[in-house]
Amino acid sequence: MTTPLTARQRLSELHRYAAVSGEDFTAQNLASTRTNQLRFARCSFVGTDLRYATLEGCWFKFCDFTGADLRGASLRGAVLAGCNLRDADLRDTDLTGARLSSVNTGIPRLGPTDITGARFEGTSLRNVQADAVVGWPPPPTRSE
């Protein structure tokens, strides 16, 4: 009898550019997950632990990251289109070269990426492209 793969193992084993659609990863532990430039559509990462995950070059469309913990994750070159990142923890995340944008749904307010309330202290925002993102630019970090 074989043990079923965990979500982390399954994502790590998918081939480059594989599509992951409609999956529910809500509140799962995906810390330190390493992926191969996967294509996520309409997936839920609500409250998911993605600390130190390597999501470089991944593409996310209409994904929900509300309250997700992405501290220390690498999203270099990732695309987040029409995603919800409200109250996500992006401290010390590497977003170098990432693109945050809306999706043209033809209906106003259904396609923008929303970063309202997300935490960005220590985040690398080099060469980030942000187009029609709710809550952009992120609030300035405070030094205490």
Side-chain angles (χ1 to χ4, degrees), residues 60-79:
F60 300 93
K61 182 177 178 183
F62 294 124
C63 291
D64 191 350
F65 291 90
T66 302
D69 189 348
L70 290 144
R71 286 178 291 161
S74 180
L75 284 103
R76 295 174 68 90
V79 174

Side-chain angles (χ1 to χ4, degrees), residues 35 40 50 52-60 65 69-80 83 85 89-100 123-124 126 128:
T35 62
F40 294 92
L50 288 159
Y52 303 104
T54 302
L55 304 167
E56 296 175 357
C58 286
W59 184 79
F60 300 93
F65 291 90
D69 189 348
L70 290 144
R71 286 178 291 161
S74 180
L75 284 103
R76 295 174 68 90
V79 174
L80 295 126
C83 294
L85 288 117
D89 192 343
L90 294 153
R91 289 178 291 170
D92 301 316
T93 299
D94 187 353
L95 288 171
T96 301
R99 191 170 78 226
L100 289 76
T123 299
S124 174
R126 275 177 274 138
V128 169

